Amino acid sequence: QSDVGDDRCRKSLEKEREDLLLALERNKNLAEEVKKLKNNSGHQRVDGNVEEMEGKIAELERRLDESQFEVEYWRDKNEMMINKIQFRNRKEVLERYGPGPHHVELAIHFPTTKTNEKITLRLYSLDTMPHTIHTFLTLIDRQHYNRGSFLSLRPHVLVAGPVDMHDVENNRQLEQKMKREGYFPDGALLFNEYSGEFPHVVRTVGFNEEMGGPVFYV
């Protein structure tokens, strides 16, 4: 089974994002320079340096146009990479797990009882969130949540994942495993997917926006 969440894919996407951010920063700086020169052009006209000032403004505007083209180039390239990953993820999920809807059953052991309780998670549309669905099913399939735990983050939020705040050694082993798999500290998702049709309300499950898994919240 191919894994688009490997280091090569992650580094490639991160490099393109870095290039996009640099292009955006250059574009912003040039725009500020143009604005500053135009604001000062009135003073220069009084001093008689009209041609020099207009030449500087024209040159900066030319560079600003080039910078805007660079921004669009890296934005399009980043989008193409995301689309490619989503296509491959959707294909892999269809081949391995079928078209869905996909359900995941979690067995939960409570220290106060001798039997396990079970909860079933119904995953969102594969067409809408192929990368998220692929990542979560892969984490489940590879048993990365085994020996993990649920934590109460806030009165209305539970956090679950390969963590254990009650057993230091187990937590260390889980963390080391996540590091070996490349899920920590950079997260499991290469990018976030979100649909306004499925907002974060009561009894919904999702990855944290900043971390992007493998920890999820309820």
Side-chain angles (χ1 to χ4, degrees):
Q1 180 183 356
S2 63
D3 184 2
V4 298
D6 60 17
D7 285 343
R8 287 178 300 175
C9 188
R10 182 182 295 276
K11 288 177 181 178
S12 177
L13 188 58
E14 286 178 350
K15 177 64 169 62
E16 290 186 8
R17 283 177 175 168
E18 183 180 335
D19 290 332
L20 174 58
L21 290 174
L22 288 172
L24 285 168
E25 184 66 23
R26 285 192 292 269
N27 186 264
K28 178 183 176 182
N29 291 338
L30 283 170
E32 289 176 352
E33 284 188 57
V34 170
K35 182 179 179 180
K36 184 177 178 180
L37 275 178
K38 285 185 174 180
N39 289 337
N40 292 335
S41 63
H43 301 293
Q44 292 290 340
R45 289 178 190 278
V46 174
D47 295 338
N49 298 325
V50 178
E51 292 185 3
E52 180 182 354
M53 178 57 68
E54 289 180 345
K56 287 181 180 180
I57 292 175
E59 172 61 19
L60 279 176
E61 287 181 332
R62 182 190 66 78
R63 289 170 56 192
L64 183 60
D65 288 340
E66 291 179 353
S67 176
Q68 187 61 42
F69 177 81
E70 183 185 19
V71 167
E72 294 304 323
Y73 169 80
W74 287 113
R75 185 174 280 138
D76 290 345
K77 195 169 183 182
N78 188 70
E79 176 119 6
M80 286 174 60
M81 172 66 82
I82 289 175
N83 289 339
K84 185 176 182 180
I85 292 172
Q86 288 177 321
F87 174 81
R88 289 176 58 184
N89 282 172
R90 182 179 183 277
K91 182 173 181 292
E92 289 172 6
V93 170
L94 288 172
E95 291 173 351
R96 189 170 182 83
Y97 307 106
H102 302 92
H103 296 79
V104 171
E105 186 177 82
L106 301 178
I108 304 172
H109 173 71
F110 292 91
T112 55
T113 63
K114 294 183 179 180
T115 59
N116 291 339
E117 299 291 338
K118 293 181 180 180
I119 61 172
T120 300
L121 306 179
R122 178 173 59 87
L123 306 189
Y124 197 52
S125 164
L126 179 62
D127 290 333
T128 305
M129 297 185 179
H131 178 54
T132 304
I133 301 301
H134 175 272
T135 301
F136 188 65
L137 288 176
T138 299
L139 288 164
I140 293 291
D141 193 44
R142 295 181 180 176
Q143 301 182 3
H144 288 324
Y145 291 112
N146 286 12
R147 297 190 294 111
S149 63
F150 279 82
L151 306 172
S152 178
L153 183 64
R154 298 189 185 95
H156 66 291
V157 177
L158 288 175
V159 173
V163 294
D164 189 343
M165 296 295 98
H166 303 288
D167 187 326
V168 175
E169 178 57 26
N170 184 41
N171 189 67
R172 186 190 67 80
Q173 292 179 10
L174 290 169
E175 183 176 313
Q176 289 299 318
K177 184 179 182 181
M178 292 301 99
K179 286 182 178 178
R180 288 195 302 271
E181 295 292 330
Y183 295 137
F184 183 82
D186 297 321
L189 295 178
L190 295 172
F191 51 86
N192 292 319
E193 293 172 313
Y194 178 77
S195 171
E197 298 176 8
F198 200 57
H200 300 311
V201 295
V202 176
R203 295 182 181 177
T204 60
V205 178
F207 286 130
N208 178 275
E209 183 177 0
E210 285 109 16
M211 183 70 176
V215 172
F216 63 91
Y217 64 89
V218 182

